[in-house]
Amino acid sequence: MKRQLPILLLLALTAAAPPKTLTPTEVINAAPAAAWRTIPADDLLVMTLDGGGRVVIQLAPAFAPVHVANIRKFAAADYWQGAAVYRVQDNYVAQWGINEAKRALSAGAVAHPPHEYTRPARGLVLTPLGSPDPYAKNVGFSRGWPVALYKDGSASLTHCYGTVGVGRDLHPDTGTGGELYAIIGHGPRQLDRNIAIVGRVVSGIEQLSALPRGSETMGFYKEGSVAKPIVAVALASAMPAAQRPSFQYLDTASPSFARYLHVRKNRNDDFYRVAAGGVDLCNVPVPVRPTPGK
Amino acid sequence: MKRQLPILLLLALTAAAPPKTLTPTEVINAAPAAAWRTIPADDLLVMTLDGGGRVVIQLAPAFAPVHVANIRKFAAADYWQGAAVYRVQDNYVAQWGINEAKRALSAGAVAHPPHEYTRPARGLVLTPLGSPDPYAKNVGFSRGWPVALYKDGSASLTHCYGTVGVGRDLHPDTGTGGELYAIIGHGPRQLDRNIAIVGRVVSGIEQLSALPRGSETMGFYKEGSVAKPIVAVALASAMPAAQRPSFQYLDTASPSFARYLHVRKNRNDDFYRVAAGGVDLCNVPVPVRPTPGK
């Protein structure tokens, strides 16, 4: 909400009054190389839209292995040929893919995957958020992901801005992964445990969030019309090295992430008057950056 | 996240299995006329963008009276002539107005308003959210607005999707209201109590949220370039009756709102497998509709 300060005033402020505490961005920029984890190229799905816009998605095989395996097979088999972003609902989702009823399943893909809406909490080491959450027994971060833990011993990824999940029809259908959505509004956490989350957008979310909203119910585009054709979908691992993107996330078990979480709860830099002292899970996006030198 | 069901399948499902419980939309649609409150025409700010897109903002004089009075004066005096949306930051804000340093204040406007970041909680009757909140002692709804109450006896409006606030420089500046922003991402509640909230977008948020993101730091557009020129800003009360929009919000003290809040916490219609049992404040947008017959 800062206005554009004249350059001279900005310089004067910088010289006269160093920030009281670091901003989240300053904490991220100060994180040492050892605090960053490179995302495996096999976990990066690169979607190129008509016009050249590129959306890069980090897949989450530890949470939805069967759906992620399907998605990898779809990418390899060019399953999404002719696919498009066909739904953009304001403050909710952008959704894309191909009508599963009209396309033969790629070889080796699973037609009816198990739910994968949750997984056992066992095996996940949690960095707790440390603030109350209305949706789960406990929430925090594990292996670079926002995670919720439930009373029954299960865990799930959570619907925050940029989260990618699997479009499906009514329960108990789970979808194959041939139709996907990304969250482009306030985190709709009521979807947690009700849908398979397969990843998150790590780059290019604005290629989806800035699309015109669909005119029909739930943001669908009119029959015969789409928000944006998809021209290619590939795993980074299948791309020529020169075009292959690479990203890193901040290790959520690192001291740098602990500092980042602390300042997200306690904004006390020059702009702020009162620090909240708490924060909600989706208001702590896990920092991601392009791998330096790549 | 529903996919597009073939029409025949949709009909079959409708015939075979009526919803287990109502959806939030069904609860809203079932609310009687008496549960709706018409927003006074003097509280509706109508902003027309280049190309004809219209954004309608409900002002909140009970929370930021001096800033709202300024905004009404600016609208009456055509203060925003030549103004534009000049900042669009993904998952954060769209911001617009005119550089206050370059425009003479409208007659009667206050150059340095008081903070108005909070107001006394006294006088506000709260419909509690009934779920924990990380940012405040208690949260809920009052007079149609999402509200937070703090230990020191103060109350504030909250930064949720569509919230409109006053751009400012570093604290203790509060801005005049000549530069405004709307939230277009996950609710950045850390801004609560740190900035003057003056209202919310009740119609046309997609005119702001779907704009291309600015290429510069914090989503600013390059010098000499804007996201969208603003061609007119007027209070509904100053517009000819035939063009004047009218909106109603669901009374947050009504039984209908209580039912709506309940289903937002306990989604149990056919799509859902597990109801969360709780919800966060910004995930309960107060229902607003065009006034019927207007």
Side-chain angles (χ1 to χ4, degrees):
Chain A
M1 258 48 34
K2 282 183 187 175
R3 292 185 305 210
Q4 271 184 300
L5 293 175
I7 294 291
L8 281 176
L9 176 55
L10 267 179
L11 290 174
L13 288 166
T14 307
K20 283 185 287 181
T21 58
L22 296 180
T23 65
T25 302
E26 287 166 337
V27 171
I28 295 167
N29 291 343
W36 295 91
R37 299 276 169 274
T38 300
I39 300 170
D42 214 35
D43 288 356
L44 284 183
L45 190 72
V46 182
M47 178 165 78
T48 307
L49 303 178
D50 190 34
R54 193 193 242 192
V55 181
V56 183
I57 295 161
Q58 179 185 6
L59 300 172
F63 292 86
V66 180
H67 286 91
V68 167
N70 268 7
I71 289 167
R72 287 180 177 140
K73 287 192 169 66
F74 293 153
D78 207 9
Y79 176 84
W80 284 296
Q81 201 165 33
V85 184
Y86 55 77
R87 176 190 182 191
V88 187
Q89 184 171 0
D90 196 69
N91 191 22
Y92 201 38
V93 296
Q95 189 166 332
W96 66 90
I98 199 108
N99 189 326
E100 295 169 21
K102 296 185 181 173
R103 173 92 17 130
L105 209 61
S106 303
V110 176
H112 299 288
H115 283 156
E116 302 189 319
Y117 301 165
T118 61
R119 54 154 280 164
R122 193 154 33 93
L124 295 176
V125 177
L126 194 80
T127 299
L129 178 69
S131 284
D133 182 82
Y135 301 92
K137 182 183 159 204
N138 195 12
V139 294
F141 305 88
S142 188
R143 307 182 187 186
W145 297 93
V147 170
L149 305 184
Y150 305 95
K151 285 185 195 155
D152 64 1
S154 68
S156 78
L157 294 179
T158 58
H159 282 84
C160 296
Y161 195 90
T163 293
V164 174
V166 176
R168 65 166 171 89
D169 297 329
L170 296 183
H171 181 76
D173 170 47
T174 69
T176 61
E179 298 180 62
L180 299 169
Y181 62 86
I183 302 301
I184 59 164
H186 188 80
R189 295 276 312 278
Q190 75 279 6
L191 293 172
D192 299 352
R193 295 191 285 172
N194 285 293
I195 208 157
I197 293 176
V198 291
R200 65 177 159 207
V201 175
V202 293
S203 175
I205 184 72
E206 72 282 358
Q207 300 292 337
L208 299 169
S209 60
L211 289 173
R213 279 45 179 155
S215 59
E216 307 305 290
T217 307
M218 303 198 302
F220 283 101
Y221 269 61
K222 272 197 202 327
E223 189 70 38
S225 162
V226 300
K228 200 70 140 173
I230 295 168
V231 297
V233 186
L235 288 175
S237 53
M239 296 171 70
Q243 291 151 41
R244 190 183 294 175
S246 179
F247 289 90
Q248 300 181 319
Y249 64 88
L250 190 62
D251 179 0
T252 49
S254 68
S256 294
F257 187 84
R259 280 191 285 277
Y260 169 72
L261 177 57
H262 177 79
V263 299
R264 294 292 302 190
K265 288 181 184 171
N266 300 283
R267 292 299 297 264
N268 195 27
D269 46 88
D270 281 337
F271 188 77
Y272 286 82
R273 174 182 159 268
V274 184
V279 72
D280 71 282
L281 186 68
C282 290
N283 201 8
V284 186
V286 174
V288 173
R289 69 176 186 182
T291 301
K294 282 272 190 171
Chain B
M1 253 53 34
K2 280 183 191 178
R3 294 183 303 206
Q4 271 183 298
L5 292 176
I7 294 292
L8 280 176
L9 177 54
L10 267 178
L11 290 174
L13 287 165
T14 307
K20 284 185 286 183
T21 59
L22 296 181
T23 65
T25 302
E26 288 166 337
V27 171
I28 295 167
N29 292 343
W36 295 91
R37 300 277 169 273
T38 300
I39 299 170
D42 215 33
D43 288 355
L44 283 183
L45 189 72
V46 182
M47 177 164 79
T48 307
L49 303 179
D50 189 34
R54 193 190 240 193
V55 181
V56 183
I57 294 161
Q58 179 185 7
L59 300 171
F63 291 85
V66 180
H67 285 91
V68 166
N70 268 8
I71 289 167
R72 288 179 177 141
K73 287 192 169 65
F74 294 154
D78 207 9
Y79 175 85
W80 283 297
Q81 202 165 32
V85 184
Y86 56 77
R87 176 190 182 191
V88 187
Q89 183 171 0
D90 195 69
N91 191 21
Y92 201 38
V93 295
Q95 190 166 331
W96 65 90
I98 198 110
N99 190 326
E100 294 170 20
K102 296 184 180 173
R103 173 90 21 127
L105 209 62
S106 303
V110 176
H112 300 288
H115 282 156
E116 302 189 319
Y117 301 164
T118 62
R119 56 154 278 163
R122 194 156 31 93
L124 295 177
V125 177
L126 194 80
T127 299
L129 177 69
S131 284
D133 183 81
Y135 301 93
K137 181 184 160 203
N138 196 10
V139 296
F141 304 89
S142 188
R143 306 181 187 186
W145 297 92
V147 169
L149 306 183
Y150 305 96
K151 285 184 194 157
D152 65 0
S154 68
S156 79
L157 295 179
T158 57
H159 282 83
C160 295
Y161 196 89
T163 294
V164 174
V166 177
R168 64 166 172 89
D169 297 331
L170 297 181
H171 183 75
D173 170 46
T174 69
T176 62
E179 299 179 62
L180 299 169
Y181 64 86
I183 301 300
I184 58 163
H186 188 80
R189 297 274 312 279
Q190 74 278 5
L191 292 172
D192 299 352
R193 296 191 284 171
N194 284 294
I195 209 156
I197 293 175
V198 291
R200 65 176 160 207
V201 175
V202 293
S203 175
I205 184 72
E206 72 283 359
Q207 301 293 336
L208 300 170
S209 59
L211 288 173
R213 281 42 179 156
S215 58
E216 308 303 292
T217 307
M218 303 198 302
F220 282 102
Y221 269 62
K222 273 197 202 327
E223 189 69 38
S225 162
V226 300
K228 201 68 140 173
I230 295 168
V231 297
V233 185
L235 287 174
S237 54
M239 296 171 70
Q243 290 151 40
R244 190 184 296 176
S246 180
F247 289 90
Q248 300 181 318
Y249 63 89
L250 190 61
D251 179 358
T252 50
S254 69
S256 294
F257 187 84
R259 280 192 286 275
Y260 169 72
L261 177 57
H262 177 79
V263 298
R264 294 291 302 188
K265 287 180 185 173
N266 301 284
R267 292 299 296 264
N268 195 28
D269 46 87
D270 280 336
F271 188 76
Y272 286 81
R273 175 182 158 267
V274 183
V279 72
D280 71 282
L281 186 67
C282 290
N283 202 7
V284 186
V286 174
V288 173
R289 69 176 187 183
T291 301
K294 281 273 188 168

